[in-house]
Amino acid sequence: MFYSFLRNVIRVILFIVNGKAKYLNREKLPEGPYILVGPHRTWFDPVYFALAASPRKFGFMAKEELFQGSIFRWLLHHVNGFPVNREHPGPSAIKTPVRMLRQGDISLIIFPSGSRHSQELKAGAAVIAKMAKVPLVPAVYQGPLTFKRLFSRKRVTVAFGDPITIDRKLKLDDEGQASVEQQMQDAFNQLDQQIDPNFHYVDVTGEKKAEKETKEH
């Protein structure tokens, strides 16, 4: 109930701030649970992913530090967030999302790179998808990269790709993982091209951070 209420509130706020977003290929979204994967480009792209794929509800990983305050812990719990230690993930980083997916009513949003400032894909999403027997659904966000730029009214576009099914017989060793990563990256590239053939992502926040650190030294 709270998840749906909050989603509607956020949808109205973003409409007022940025206007109507454009969602492409929604027909590709599976009926059952799945893992939505995409490149992490801004802190609010998971919000747009969740809005674009509604009415399905989503869960997500959040760094465990966010759960230390009682208010944030309550809020994250009610929007299906679960804590993960980024330095030492542990078995729960796999078991918890697998259990959520097997329940059938919640899907997951996972950024394979793990960070907005990294383009290197990691193994977690593929492992979880295989164990939970759900597909990976590629998605990309194009639009403003900071909340301030949302007010520019530059349109936000989210596009979904064809589901990627992990073969149960596929061994997720280095070779198997590389194969899945390549499928995801190819899908991201195709979706970016579909939205805007001239698109090129620039990590503005990361560049500013690196520039600041350089000046300090």
Side-chain angles (χ1 to χ4, degrees), residues 8-208:
N8 290 333
V9 170
I10 292 175
R11 191 192 304 276
V12 171
I13 293 173
L14 290 177
F15 177 79
I16 293 172
V17 170
N18 184 259
K20 186 177 182 180
K22 186 176 183 180
Y23 304 139
L24 303 178
N25 312 328
R26 277 177 47 86
E27 71 279 0
K28 295 181 182 292
L29 296 173
E31 292 292 331
Y34 54 88
I35 300 176
L36 200 60
V37 292
H40 202 359
R41 292 170 175 167
T42 177
W43 63 266
F44 48 80
D45 51 11
V47 175
Y48 272 104
F49 283 168
L51 292 177
S54 63
R56 175 157 285 277
K57 296 180 180 180
F58 289 88
F60 61 95
M61 299 179 181
K63 57 183 181 180
E64 62 180 6
E65 292 85 353
L66 295 176
F67 288 80
Q68 293 177 357
S70 57
I71 295 178
F72 272 109
R73 183 169 59 248
W74 181 89
L75 178 61
L76 289 169
H77 174 73
H78 282 80
V79 293
N80 308 315
F82 56 94
V84 173
N85 185 318
R86 290 185 175 181
E87 298 299 324
H88 307 285
S92 63
I94 299 295
K95 292 180 179 179
T96 299
V98 168
R99 185 166 57 249
M100 292 176 68
L101 289 165
R102 285 178 176 173
Q103 290 174 352
D105 57 342
I106 294 178
S107 290
L108 287 179
I109 295 175
I110 293 180
F111 295 99
S113 64
S115 166
R116 287 181 288 136
H117 311 305
S118 171
Q119 299 302 305
E120 180 183 353
L121 303 186
K122 299 178 177 63
V127 173
I128 294 168
K130 182 179 179 181
M131 292 182 65
K133 300 178 182 178
V134 301
L136 299 169
V137 177
V140 299
Y141 165 99
Q142 285 190 24
L145 299 179
T146 65
F147 186 72
K148 182 179 179 180
R149 291 186 180 181
L150 276 177
F151 288 87
S152 69
R153 308 288 288 186
K154 178 182 178 182
R155 171 175 272 188
V156 167
T157 302
V158 173
F160 300 108
D162 293 316
I164 299 171
T165 302
I166 308 297
D167 192 322
R168 288 187 296 174
K169 296 180 181 179
L170 177 67
K171 292 183 179 180
L172 290 177
D173 50 15
D174 290 345
E175 183 178 355
Q177 179 60 32
S179 174
V180 177
E181 289 175 0
Q182 190 61 55
Q183 290 182 70
M184 288 192 289
Q185 190 59 60
D186 288 344
F188 300 157
N189 293 340
Q190 290 171 8
L191 292 173
D192 276 329
Q193 287 290 306
Q194 179 186 4
I195 298 173
D196 179 4
N198 298 314
F199 173 79
H200 175 67
Y201 171 66
V202 177
D203 180 9
V204 179
T205 306
E207 286 188 350
K208 288 182 177 179

